[in-house]
Amino acid sequence: MVLEVKGIQKSFRNDKVLQDVSFCLKSGEIIAVLGHSGAGKTTLLRCINGLEFCDRGSISIDGRYLCREDNGKTLYTDADNIKSIRKKLGMVFQNLNLFPHKSALENITEAPIFVHGISKAEAEKKAYQLLEALGIRDKAACYPYQLSGGQKQRVAIARACALSPSIMCFDEPTSALDPELKESIACIIEKLASDNMAILIITHDMNFAKRVADKIIFMEAGKVIQEGTRDEFFSKPINDTVKRFINSA
Amino acid sequence: MLNYLLSLLPSMFEGLTLTLKVFTLTMMLSLPMGIFVALGRLSKIKVISRCVKIYIWIMRGTPLILQLVFIFFGLPLVGITFDRFQAALIAFTLNYAAYFGEIFRAGIQSIELGQYEAAKVLGFGPIKAFTRIVLPQVLKRVLPPVSNEVITLIKDTSLVYVVGLGELLRSGKIASNRDASLVPLIVVAFFYLMLTAILTKALKLCEDKYSYYH
């Protein structure tokens, strides 16, 4: 397993946002986490990438614990470990968060060069390969404001791929895309999975999940309500909430 | 007339030199200090942010001329003495760092949280995230208000006359009194106008340098 999430709980004040969420993700597998907004999907993702600390539970990435529950206490690993574990985890934000003052190329090479000590030549070589693979090599020198939404998203994906992560997380990747771009992002995600990357997609776009995911996790009020293969999920919804959600698309 | 103007120049240039010295050194010290003031003001450690808040309140809430007088004439009464130039420089730097600090604070707070988060998931520590991702964007945004302060500073330097330093305005006033002439004051005005014109141009170039992105 590349990603193991076990029994995580998270509250904001008295609001229990995540209640005992567990799941596993294998390399090459694509999991979509579905649910209404407010179901806890984004918080789940933020716990996995370490932007939020969960109150209880364990998260392990590539066999290393980010946090681990032991005798009822959840302990986080130290900052150095978090940094190296994060390397294994690529993240594409919903609003991308590209660095506006850096060109597409610099957005991709910034972390490898200035955080992880990779030589400029090597980082740029890798960045050009990624841009090439994503079909925007000619945009390397452009700044984010000069790019279209779809191109920006590709830069964000390339930036997240630059450190060769084993898991790639997408937060609502289709929220700003037209149908054609949705299809092309689906192809990109499939390509990443076929290169053995594990993919975690947070979305409420059911058609997209249907198109691309191997497995579906359905969340409601901070809990996993249903988990299963795509076909199972769509053919045998476990209860009315899930059924309504499926039929709403 | 021309001869009179030429006769004024040596003392004017002497004054101008001092004005520029106060201006340049204040800028060099107060701008970097302003960044630390902003960080202190935004610090999660309550004691630090409180103290910085009080410092800003005092610096912005009292006249700069009082601060000059306090440091040069007041502090010696409790045994702390500075020479005229040091006193002027300390007062100006402390005062301007407070203003720059507030400008930088607003700039830092205007950067979207997502920029920090993007940096964080890419492995940036807090210092690198600030210096490489946040600060460059802050500098672009604060340039217009900083420019305002810079222009104000060049004129504020005339206040150093209260501690007896011979800056540009003082040279003009002395000559004007001595010769019962308006000309030296016009020359002084001309110098200030030239200085602000040059600064405006230079600051515009800085803004252009950052205009490569939106």
Side-chain angles (χ1 to χ4, degrees):
Chain A
M1 291 300 162
V2 196
L3 173 66
E4 270 189 272
V5 175
K6 224 165 106 190
I8 63 170
Q9 297 181 16
K10 171 77 186 170
S11 301
F12 293 111
R13 292 194 194 89
N14 290 325
D15 193 9
K16 286 183 185 157
V17 185
L18 293 177
Q19 304 184 46
D20 200 20
V21 174
S22 304
F23 70 93
C24 293
L25 179 60
K26 291 191 294 233
S27 50
E29 188 176 45
I30 304 175
I31 290 188
V33 180
L34 279 172
H36 295 102
S37 39
K41 303 178 307 254
T42 299
T43 306
L44 172 64
L45 182 56
R46 290 172 64 84
C47 284
I48 292 168
N49 66 23
L51 289 175
E52 293 299 346
F53 290 112
C54 53
D55 306 328
R56 293 284 292 270
S58 309
I59 298 172
S60 90
I61 290 163
D62 243 6
R64 296 171 65 191
Y65 281 98
L66 177 68
C67 62
R68 182 173 207 171
E69 185 168 311
D70 201 20
N71 286 329
K73 265 200 190 146
T74 293
L75 296 171
Y76 269 83
T77 183
D78 59 66
D80 279 351
N81 273 324
I82 291 182
K83 185 176 151 186
S84 72
I85 290 173
R86 275 211 172 108
K87 244 177 106 170
K88 296 284 155 204
L89 196 87
M91 172 75 202
V92 179
F93 291 90
Q94 179 171 9
N95 48 7
L96 309 178
N97 296 330
L98 292 177
F99 305 133
H101 60 305
K102 304 272 174 197
S103 69
L105 184 72
E106 289 164 342
N107 261 279
I108 301 166
T109 57
E110 184 73 15
I113 297 174
F114 295 100
V115 181
H116 300 282
I118 293 165
S119 76
K120 190 169 180 232
E122 202 178 323
E124 286 188 348
K125 194 176 141 207
K126 169 103 194 203
Y128 277 119
Q129 282 169 2
L130 288 165
L131 289 169
E132 178 87 56
L134 293 163
I136 47 166
R137 199 197 149 104
D138 55 326
K139 301 290 177 197
C142 291
Y143 287 88
Y145 81 94
Q146 296 167 313
L147 302 172
S148 71
Q151 290 165 343
K152 272 187 227 170
Q153 191 170 43
R154 282 157 202 250
V155 175
I157 293 170
R159 180 173 76 174
C161 285
L163 295 165
S164 312
S166 3
I167 308 170
M168 185 66 83
C169 303
F170 292 86
D171 191 5
E172 302 287 0
T174 58
S175 59
L177 301 180
D178 63 38
E180 204 173 322
L181 281 172
K182 275 187 198 179
E183 179 50 32
S184 77
I185 193 83
C187 293
I188 291 170
I189 288 174
E190 278 174 337
K191 172 81 176 49
L192 293 176
S194 73
D195 291 339
N196 252 343
M197 215 181 260
I199 314 279
L200 184 66
I201 305 167
I202 303 293
T203 184
H204 52 239
D205 183 337
M206 203 167 23
N207 291 324
F208 186 70
K210 205 173 192 171
R211 159 74 180 80
V212 77
D214 302 319
K215 265 174 81 182
I216 307 259
I217 291 172
F218 187 86
M219 282 182 73
E220 181 72 27
K223 291 188 192 126
V224 175
I225 303 273
Q226 185 170 358
E227 183 181 350
T229 65
R230 172 182 50 188
D231 299 337
E232 253 170 45
F233 178 81
F234 285 103
S235 59
K236 294 186 203 118
I238 202 165
N239 65 17
D240 286 347
T241 317
V242 182
K243 211 178 275 174
R244 268 201 307 277
F245 189 86
I246 292 173
N247 292 333
S248 67
Chain B
M1 185 65 187
L2 189 65
N3 278 341
Y4 178 60
L5 276 178
L6 285 175
S7 77
L8 286 175
L9 285 182
S11 67
M12 291 280 177
F13 273 119
E14 223 169 277
L16 180 67
T17 313
L18 189 93
T19 293
L20 286 175
K21 230 162 104 185
V22 174
F23 171 79
T24 317
L25 287 171
T26 302
M27 287 282 293
M28 278 165 54
L29 294 170
S30 63
L31 275 174
M33 189 173 154
I35 294 177
F36 289 102
V37 170
L39 291 176
R41 175 84 169 71
L42 292 169
S43 172
K44 287 196 186 93
I45 304 163
K46 275 270 161 4
V47 191
I48 295 179
S49 71
R50 281 264 163 79
C51 291
V52 172
K53 221 166 148 181
I54 293 170
Y55 153 74
I56 292 172
W57 177 54
I58 294 171
M59 288 300 146
R60 296 202 306 179
T62 59
L64 175 53
I65 199 161
L66 171 63
Q67 293 160 18
L68 276 163
V69 169
F70 185 89
I71 290 172
F72 185 66
F73 298 106
L75 288 184
L77 301 176
V78 292
I80 307 168
T81 44
F82 297 106
D83 70 34
R84 294 167 200 284
F85 188 75
Q86 284 170 347
L89 198 59
I90 291 168
F92 270 85
T93 302
L94 288 178
N95 182 279
Y96 270 80
Y99 282 94
F100 285 137
E102 282 297 272
I103 292 173
F104 284 129
R105 177 182 64 84
I108 292 169
Q109 285 179 320
S110 78
I111 303 296
E112 302 73 18
L113 197 61
Q115 292 288 307
Y116 293 92
E117 294 189 338
K120 209 169 166 186
V121 300
L122 286 168
F124 285 81
I127 295 171
K128 267 196 183 140
F130 183 74
T131 53
R132 295 210 54 91
I133 305 302
V134 177
L135 191 59
Q137 298 183 59
V138 169
L139 292 181
K140 177 185 168 86
R141 292 189 195 183
V142 300
L143 214 45
V146 164
S147 303
N148 258 334
E149 290 299 320
V150 171
I151 304 280
T152 308
L153 172 61
I154 197 85
K155 293 174 290 176
D156 271 358
T157 53
S158 60
L159 293 175
V160 299
Y161 81 89
V162 294
V163 296
L165 285 171
E167 45 67 62
L168 186 56
L169 178 59
R170 194 165 183 249
S171 318
K173 253 165 77 182
I174 291 170
S176 175
N177 285 343
R178 182 192 60 212
D179 308 332
S181 162
L182 195 60
V183 177
L185 296 181
I186 295 172
V187 175
V188 169
F190 174 78
F191 273 110
Y192 278 116
L193 285 170
M194 283 301 107
L195 286 177
T196 47
I198 293 165
L199 280 174
T200 308
K201 182 81 193 151
L203 291 163
K204 173 80 173 58
L205 289 176
C206 286
E207 278 188 44
D208 290 349
K209 193 185 146 232
Y210 280 105
S211 67
Y212 68 88
Y213 75 93
H214 297 315

